[in-house]
Amino acid sequence: MSDTGLSRQLGLRSLTLAVVTSTIGSGWLFAPFYAARFAGPAALGAWLLGGLLAFALALVFAELGSLLSSSGALAQIPLLSHGRTAGFIGGWCAWVSYLALPSIEVMAVMQYLASSAPWLTADQGAGQVLSGAGLALASLLLVLLAWVNLAGVGWLARWIDGLTSWKLVVPLVVSITLMLTAGHWGNLVPLAQPVGTTLEGMVRAISSGGILFSLLGFRTAMDLAGEARQPQRTVPVAMALGLGLSLLIYLLLQLAFLVAVPPGQLGGGWAALRLSAHGGPLVALALGLGLGWVGRLLLLDAVVSPTATAMAYMGAASRVGWMMGRCGLLPNVLGRINRQAVPSVALVISLVLGIGLLLIGPGWQNVVSLLTATLVIALAMGPVSLAALRRQLPDRTRPYRLPWAVLWCPLAFVLATWAISWCGTTALRGAVLIVLLPAIGFVLLALRGRAAGARQGEEPPHGPLHFRQGLWWFLYLGGLVAITAWPLGLAAELGLLAAWALLVFPLAVHSRLVAVSPWAGVGND
């Protein structure tokens, strides 16, 4: 057991496979198709650009992961460096994103299986939604995943290890088979169009096409750090190995998709490509090539891959909620664990809210932009906290120390700012509402509780509110909404966003606490 009561059973292999299984989920079934529609052959460049962005953030979190060895650390990091208000905003973004991800993965399963079992979905005019039977089956699947998580991290690791091995093999087999069977290499010739149009298509592929959504699974290693052996070493290495392996598989899969599309279907360009029959784009390609066995393999994997990812994210969501409860950012009851050293209350709450999201959730692509924006907002806190913690804990041992952090952290913050804006104005505004409205409620409730405690002569149980240290969040997000509301070209918008990020970054770092928050559970020694 660790000092938090969680059981340290995970080694480097299990953590790496957890990263891979979180990264290769429903994204591999949908993202190559949507990325190709947005960017055509430039989708390969979009994956590289998305990978660069993900690696930039992963390197920041590699040092943070070597500094903190607690599960649910995404909720702990902003609290540690900037106090309760910033801690709530960062933790809330991560928790909400994680809560939604298992439901999205399960909806992807139902969407793929609906080709063979049409009773799983119903036509609602604007698109397909889960039918009553589909909702019941999806809810049952979430309950099953929660049961596996409740059995303990050892059980979870064994399930992840087995399912991830399958998830690594199937995309490779499908990719190689499609390339050898079709091999329309002429599809890789880029269309004659302005450079700005190509760049815009790549940006849309990264955000709305699901590329960044697919590549942000590296953080799972941090979410499970409190249950890892030698976390200061294994967490950074697992993030790097898992992300690198996943990116290589996605690049191979995207290449295979591009050369497998029959040229006759590209008469209207990549944007007009339609492959919705037979349970999804990859299945449609396989059956069109006469590869029935590949189609059946894909339908089977449509259950395995998203289900394994949903299982991992359900565990991650419970640990972020557990950490927030343990640190007083959410009700304390979420900080409880069961006899198997699992945060059971947080897990059950995650399950209930996940089933609730099934009732209102739209299709896969429609929710990707909103989820990506919300999650990247949480990750944008990483560079700020790392720069602050370098000053707050200068003598703390760091098994991994990010080189040139004084330059890398502002750069990563700029890249995160761009990624948030790339998700689109509607997604950005929705994410900001998801972030700021609960944050305002948190502040108001905290002030009310403190006033009531003061009247009774009681000290606040979790220390000061630290509203001033978290005020920069409101300024930063408000500026993003204002900038993206202007009708600017892509280059002008990126330049203005970069300038805004570089203006806010030193202000955010300067807003740090004088010493790390003792309520985050990490001492200053």
Side-chain angles (χ1 to χ4, degrees), residues 7-179:
S7 178
R8 294 196 183 274
Q9 300 184 37
L10 303 180
L12 176 60
R13 180 175 181 272
S14 292
L15 279 180
T16 302
L17 292 179
V19 171
V20 172
T21 203
S22 299
T23 306
I24 304 178
S26 60
W28 92 268
L29 298 169
F30 292 97
F33 168 66
Y34 289 119
R37 288 187 59 188
F38 284 128
L44 293 170
W47 280 103
L48 290 173
L49 184 58
L52 175 64
L53 197 155
F55 269 110
L57 290 172
L59 287 174
V60 171
F61 282 92
E63 177 171 331
L64 291 171
S66 72
L67 184 65
L68 304 175
S69 58
S70 303
S71 290
L74 278 181
Q76 190 182 24
I77 290 167
L79 172 63
L80 184 68
S81 62
H82 284 72
R84 293 188 68 206
T85 298
F88 176 83
I89 292 174
W92 177 261
C93 289
W95 194 47
V96 169
S97 301
Y98 283 17
L99 278 174
L101 283 166
S103 300
I104 299 306
E105 296 295 321
V106 168
M107 281 196 291
V109 172
M110 299 299 117
Q111 185 173 335
Y112 249 79
L113 292 183
S115 63
S116 301
W119 47 269
L120 291 173
T121 60
D123 191 359
Q124 205 178 54
Q128 294 291 314
V129 297
L130 294 182
S131 64
L135 178 62
L137 184 59
S139 300
L140 183 62
L141 183 55
L142 287 177
V143 170
L144 176 63
L145 300 182
W147 174 75
V148 173
N149 273 276
L150 282 171
V153 72
W155 256 57
L156 178 62
R158 286 190 290 272
W159 276 84
I160 288 176
D161 287 359
L163 293 175
T164 304
S165 299
W166 165 275
K167 291 173 64 172
L168 287 172
V169 171
V170 173
L172 292 175
V173 170
V174 170
S175 299
I176 294 171
T177 302
L178 289 178
M179 284 190 288

Side-chain angles (χ1 to χ4, degrees), residues 319-337:
R319 283 152 179 83
V320 173
W322 166 81
M323 179 56 74
M324 293 185 73
R326 188 167 174 261
C327 294
L329 300 174
L330 288 176
N332 294 336
V333 67
L334 273 78
R336 296 179 182 175
I337 60 176

Side-chain angles (χ1 to χ4, degrees), residues 417 475-480 483 495-505:
T417 302
L475 176 67
Y476 171 62
L477 295 176
L480 290 188
I483 292 171
L496 191 56
L497 287 168
W500 178 246
L502 293 175
L503 179 66
V504 170
F505 182 80

Side-chain angles (χ1 to χ4, degrees), residues 172-513:
L172 292 175
V173 170
V174 170
S175 299
I176 294 171
T177 302
L178 289 178
M179 284 190 288
L180 292 178
T181 303
H184 303 299
W185 300 101
N187 291 350
L188 299 180
V189 178
L191 299 176
Q193 58 185 7
V195 174
T197 303
T198 300
L199 290 176
E200 185 175 350
M202 291 172 65
V203 165
R204 294 186 67 192
I206 291 171
S207 55
S208 300
I211 289 178
L212 194 57
F213 171 83
S214 300
L215 291 176
L216 291 180
F218 68 83
R219 63 204 182 275
T220 307
M222 286 195 67
D223 298 321
L224 298 172
E227 291 138 291
R229 299 188 295 270
Q230 299 180 310
Q232 287 82 5
R233 182 185 68 86
T234 56
V235 168
V237 176
M239 285 195 289
L241 290 176
L243 180 55
L245 183 59
S246 300
L247 179 59
L248 286 175
I249 290 175
Y250 273 120
L251 283 169
L252 182 62
L253 185 66
Q254 184 69 68
L255 176 62
F257 183 88
L258 290 170
V259 303
V261 174
Q265 297 193 28
L266 298 177
W270 285 98
L273 180 63
R274 296 289 184 272
L275 291 171
S276 58
H278 306 297
L282 288 174
V283 175
L285 273 182
L287 296 183
L289 294 170
L291 300 172
W293 68 271
V294 174
R296 290 188 292 273
L297 181 64
L298 284 165
L299 286 175
L300 178 59
D301 191 70
V303 177
V304 175
S305 285
T307 298
T309 302
M311 184 188 306
Y313 276 125
M314 183 173 286
S318 66
R319 283 152 179 83
V320 173
W322 166 81
M323 179 56 74
M324 293 185 73
R326 188 167 174 261
C327 294
L329 300 174
L330 288 176
N332 294 336
V333 67
L334 273 78
R336 296 179 182 175
I337 60 176
N338 64 8
R339 288 180 296 178
Q340 284 73 38
V342 173
S344 52
V345 175
L347 182 59
V348 171
I349 291 176
S350 298
L351 169 64
V352 172
L353 294 176
I355 291 175
L357 288 172
L358 291 175
L359 299 172
I360 59 175
W364 187 88
Q365 188 199 9
N366 295 330
V367 80
V368 161
S369 296
L370 178 61
L371 274 181
T372 303
T374 305
L375 185 54
V376 178
I377 288 174
L379 296 179
M381 186 72 199
V384 174
S385 287
L386 178 56
L389 290 168
R390 282 284 184 96
R391 295 162 173 81
Q392 293 164 317
L393 298 173
D395 300 323
R396 171 80 65 159
T397 300
R398 292 167 168 83
Y400 171 78
R401 191 175 183 90
L402 177 64
W404 303 100
V406 67
L407 298 176
W408 195 264
C409 287
L411 174 62
F413 191 69
V414 169
L415 292 175
T417 302
W418 284 350
I420 295 168
S421 70
W422 291 347
C423 295
T425 303
T426 301
L428 172 59
R429 291 174 179 173
V432 169
L433 287 177
I434 290 173
V435 173
L436 294 188
L437 288 181
I440 293 172
F442 170 78
V443 170
L444 293 177
L445 287 174
L447 290 174
R448 180 180 177 183
R450 293 169 68 83
R455 287 194 297 268
Q456 299 175 11
E458 299 175 354
E459 292 291 329
H462 297 286
L465 184 58
H466 302 126
F467 179 70
R468 182 178 63 82
Q469 286 80 5
L471 193 59
W472 68 270
W473 264 120
F474 296 84
L475 176 67
Y476 171 62
L477 295 176
L480 290 188
V481 172
I483 292 171
T484 54
W486 294 358
L488 301 171
L490 178 62
E493 182 176 274
L494 292 180
L496 191 56
L497 287 168
W500 178 246
L502 293 175
L503 179 66
V504 170
F505 182 80
L507 175 63
V509 175
H510 182 71
S511 299
R512 67 187 182 276
L513 300 174

